[in-house]
Amino acid sequence: MNTNTEYTDSSEKKLNKNLGFLGVDFQYKLMKYLMENPQSFVSIKDQIEAGMFTDSKLRFVVDKLKQYYDRYSEAPTYESISTFGQQTKDESDVMKEVMDKVQVLDIAKDIKYIKDRAFSFFKQQALVKTLSVVAGIVERGETDKYDSCPKMFEDAIRKTSFGEKEDFHPFDDVEKTLSGEMRKPIPTGILSLDGILNGGIGKGELGLICGPSGFGKTTITTSMASYAACCKNASNKYQGYKVLQIIFEDSKTQISTKYIARELGIECSKVPLYNKIEKNAAKQIKNSERYKMQQNNIMIRKLHDGEKTASDIDNIIRNDYINNGFVPDLVLLDYFECLKAEHGTMALGQHLSEAHTMRKLETMAAKLNVGLWVTTQGTKDSYGSKEFGGPDKISGSASKYNICHMCLIISRSMDDFSTNVSSIKITKNRAGNAGVVISNVYFDNGKGRISSEGEGHVQGYEDTMSVENDRNLAIFNAIQNGVTMENESIETNPALEFVNSGVTENRNTNSGYTETENSSGYAEPDESVNSPMEKNKDFPLDCPF
């Protein structure tokens, strides 16, 4: 095959329905390239069809390759495809004949030509399919879909590549690798955990958080979102991280209450009571740097259980957020079991279906360059148990554990729930050590606060913790004693004299973060920050407050 030939034949400029115009020899060389470059096969698996090959034996093999990937979510090897499925003797002979033939082919000098010609063909086929879909939209007058048409063509082109950027030499970017700049971690706000994770979850990484039913999935994701949004450091130009929090079960009111409780340091259930007696509750929240940063940096999307696949989530992030200027650094998905299985995968069984979904999430994290935390349920026997275990404590398929880059297992006994503590085990960690247990973590579901350093050291709240706890204790003791009426304020109620004794002077001080980073890469709290926001500013509806 002459790689320097100029291709001007008119047959290559017209619409070709199969690879016949390139010859049978080319088709066998393409098969060899796909067998020995699994990333390339994966990148075009949705575009390649058996009918595109003119050789009947190659058509049979292509069918088997696609079936293999659908079942195992990975590209086959020469060995695995040869024994795949229930093959008759004739089918086994055909498979062996094709594999023996392609293995001995020498394509070293033809690789660029093979990739270029095949890429052009598959791109053409993808665009033809997309054109047909768009034409149907126009003919049916589906005007609500017009804006999505350009994106369809962009996706068609993006998906028809051989993943060339995945090829690299071992010491490419050696200076950058040595400097540690290639991994950009986003801290969780749990100090000891961030230390073990080398700063937090990195962009492009997929993390799994597992715990028993009711352990605090939304609490931990809300805590992570709040901390990341307010964490100022050089990597985010001291603006905080952009966070997208995706929820399925909580309502807008419930999730907003969690954020308010976290800021005030009071129980979620007591937020309405607090508002009745503290006329300045809203002002207390809004007159803080943390309020401004969370409003600007956090977006929350409420979805319905069982209606969206991982692919749908990918499209939502691209179309509704990135394309509109909100580019998240961190995505929090609460939780895995609420996702719908990818189309056509339910028939494969739970293990393969969940594996397929996790692979989709992993790919999404890498392509969108986001840190992605996904919560998942533990098994029934994990509830109220101090025993950690490993993948056996994760409900459903073990593939969730196998595919994730890091895995946290939360353990809480029944006593732990009442004393607001938990233990966190890092069972998997591609960024550092695994098998590490962080015991006696302060984990308050009611207040939405988590700390490995104890209740008085929740990252970002150290300067107000003791004052707010004492102040709120006085407020609620008064409520329980029936002293405060609905129309009374803190300032006028004698029973709340404590909060007028001078302690309340700093009650609007919620900590921000300095521009000085510690050795772990995340910011230290700054007690001096108290920047009030301008009044009456409008914010998107799906922000925390």
Side-chain angles (χ1 to χ4, degrees):
M1 184 180 295
N2 186 351
T3 58
N4 297 316
T5 302
E6 293 292 334
Y7 295 93
T8 58
D9 190 295
S10 61
S11 66
E12 298 197 38
K13 292 187 176 182
K14 66 181 183 180
L15 178 61
N16 298 288
K17 296 184 178 180
N18 57 51
L19 292 163
F21 72 102
L22 292 170
V24 175
D25 287 346
F26 175 89
Q27 296 172 51
Y28 272 88
K29 290 186 176 184
L30 174 58
M31 176 61 67
K32 180 180 179 68
Y33 179 80
L34 294 176
M35 288 300 301
E36 297 180 2
N37 294 273
Q39 183 63 34
S40 294
F41 170 76
V42 171
S43 66
I44 64 166
K45 60 180 175 57
D46 294 330
Q47 282 70 46
I48 193 170
E49 296 178 4
M52 295 175 176
F53 291 77
T54 57
D55 184 276
S56 60
K57 295 175 182 177
L58 286 176
R59 289 199 295 268
F60 168 76
V61 173
V62 170
D63 265 337
K64 291 298 181 183
L65 294 179
K66 291 174 68 69
Q67 290 173 22
Y68 185 96
Y69 185 87
D70 287 342
R71 178 169 297 182
Y72 298 112
S73 298
E74 62 183 16
T77 62
Y78 285 119
E79 182 180 3
S80 62
I81 196 62
S82 296
T83 58
F84 171 66
Q86 298 294 323
Q87 299 181 18
T88 66
K89 184 179 184 305
D90 289 342
E91 290 174 338
S92 296
D93 290 343
V94 169
M95 182 67 74
K96 184 177 186 305
E97 178 184 342
V98 173
M99 292 298 108
D100 288 348
K101 182 175 181 177
V102 299
Q103 284 188 74
V104 299
L105 289 175
D106 181 7
I107 64 170
K109 296 180 180 180
D110 301 325
I111 288 180
K112 186 177 185 306
Y113 170 79
I114 293 169
K115 291 165 65 175
D116 288 348
R117 300 312 302 152
F119 173 80
S120 297
F121 172 76
F122 289 122
K123 182 190 293 185
Q124 181 190 65
Q125 300 305 305
L127 289 173
V128 169
K129 290 181 181 178
T130 304
L131 183 61
S132 176
V133 173
V134 171
I137 291 174
V138 174
E139 289 175 1
R140 292 188 295 272
E142 298 174 341
T143 56
D144 59 318
K145 297 182 180 179
Y146 286 177
D147 290 342
S148 66
C149 292
K151 183 67 166 51
M152 293 181 188
F153 286 104
E154 290 176 10
D155 289 342
I157 293 173
R158 177 177 55 82
K159 291 177 181 178
T160 49
S161 69
F162 281 113
E164 294 91 345
K165 293 183 180 178
E166 298 296 330
D167 300 330
F168 59 91
H169 298 290
F171 298 110
D172 288 350
D173 298 319
V174 63
E175 292 83 4
K176 200 170 185 179
T177 303
L178 287 171
S179 71
E181 293 179 2
M182 297 191 75
R183 184 174 186 269
K184 297 181 179 179
I186 300 170
T188 66
I190 305 172
L191 195 61
S192 296
L193 177 60
D194 287 329
I196 296 167
L197 298 181
N198 285 331
I201 189 169
K203 287 190 174 184
E205 296 175 355
L206 172 61
L208 191 68
I209 305 172
C210 175
S213 177
F215 79 88
K217 295 185 297 297
T218 309
T219 298
I220 198 167
T221 53
T222 299
S223 174
M224 288 178 172
S226 175
Y227 182 83
C230 296
C231 179
K232 298 180 181 181
N233 57 32
S235 67
N236 59 45
K237 299 180 180 179
Y238 305 102
Q239 299 299 310
Y241 293 99
K242 297 293 185 183
V243 183
L244 175 60
Q245 186 176 5
I246 300 174
I247 59 174
F248 286 90
E249 293 190 337
D250 287 80
S251 67
K252 179 181 177 180
T253 299
Q254 288 171 328
I255 199 72
S256 294
T257 301
K258 287 181 182 291
Y259 275 96
I260 292 171
R262 177 175 165 83
E263 292 307 304
L264 296 176
I266 63 177
E267 295 287 328
C268 286
S269 61
K270 296 177 180 177
V271 166
L273 292 175
Y274 184 92
N275 188 54
K276 288 180 180 180
I277 62 172
E278 171 59 285
K279 292 182 178 180
N280 294 320
K283 184 178 179 181
Q284 180 180 342
I285 295 172
K286 291 182 178 181
N287 284 357
S288 72
E289 175 74 0
R290 292 181 54 82
Y291 168 77
K292 180 177 180 179
M293 295 191 72
Q294 289 179 85
Q295 282 294 87
N296 289 341
N297 290 337
I298 301 176
M299 295 294 282
I300 304 169
R301 172 57 68 93
K302 163 69 175 176
L303 298 173
H304 295 289
D305 186 0
E307 292 186 3
K308 300 296 182 182
T309 66
S311 295
D312 293 330
I313 299 297
D314 189 323
N315 290 331
I316 287 171
I317 296 174
R318 292 176 188 274
N319 297 332
D320 294 356
Y321 295 98
I322 295 176
N323 289 351
N324 288 305
F326 186 89
V327 182
D329 301 297
L330 178 67
V331 176
L332 301 153
L333 181 62
D334 182 15
Y335 55 103
F336 183 88
E337 284 75 14
C338 294
L339 290 172
K340 182 180 177 182
E342 292 292 319
H343 301 297
T345 63
M346 283 298 293
L348 301 176
Q350 183 180 15
H351 174 78
L352 295 176
S353 177
E354 291 190 350
H356 194 77
T357 296
M358 281 296 287
R359 287 296 183 196
K360 286 283 187 181
L361 294 173
E362 181 186 37
T363 300
M364 181 181 78
K367 288 187 175 181
L368 298 183
N369 193 32
V370 299
L372 174 58
W373 282 112
V374 180
T375 59
T376 187
Q377 296 279 26
T379 56
K380 292 180 180 179
D381 61 351
S382 66
Y383 183 78
S385 172
K386 291 288 285 186
E387 296 181 5
F388 283 102
D392 59 308
K393 293 297 182 181
I394 301 175
S395 65
S397 169
S399 61
K400 288 186 286 188
Y401 178 85
N402 296 334
I403 294 171
C404 71
H405 298 184
M406 50 187 64
C407 180
L408 314 179
I409 294 185
I410 313 298
S411 172
R412 306 189 78 177
S413 69
M414 298 307 295
D415 288 339
D416 289 342
F417 279 98
S418 61
T419 56
N420 294 325
V421 297
S422 71
S423 296
I424 302 175
K425 182 176 182 180
I426 300 88
T427 61
K428 185 176 183 179
N429 180 17
R430 293 186 186 178
N433 295 329
V436 181
V437 176
I438 307 173
S439 301
N440 298 317
V441 175
Y442 170 63
F443 197 119
D444 193 327
N445 275 347
K447 297 178 182 178
R449 294 183 172 186
I450 306 173
S451 172
S452 56
E453 312 306 303
E455 180 176 359
H457 299 277
V458 178
Q459 294 297 297
Y461 296 91
E462 293 89 337
D463 59 338
T464 60
M465 188 67 65
S466 60
V467 171
E468 291 297 336
N469 283 351
D470 290 343
R471 178 172 180 271
N472 291 327
L473 179 62
I475 292 173
F476 292 113
N477 281 341
I479 291 174
Q480 291 172 359
N481 292 331
V483 177
T484 302
M485 306 302 291
E486 288 189 16
N487 60 349
E488 293 182 298
S489 68
I490 291 176
E491 288 76 14
T492 61
N493 193 313
L496 299 180
E497 183 178 356
F498 167 80
V499 298
N500 284 321
S501 63
V503 179
T504 59
E505 291 181 4
N506 295 322
R507 68 187 182 191
N508 289 335
T509 302
N510 287 322
S511 66
Y513 297 87
T514 67
E515 298 184 0
T516 303
E517 297 176 53
N518 61 27
S519 59
S520 299
Y522 35 88
E524 297 285 2
D526 178 10
E527 298 184 6
S528 66
V529 175
N530 186 23
S531 303
M533 283 202 66
E534 59 272 28
K535 296 182 180 180
N536 301 322
K537 181 171 181 179
D538 293 328
F539 290 99
L541 290 177
D542 47 355
C543 285
F545 305 108

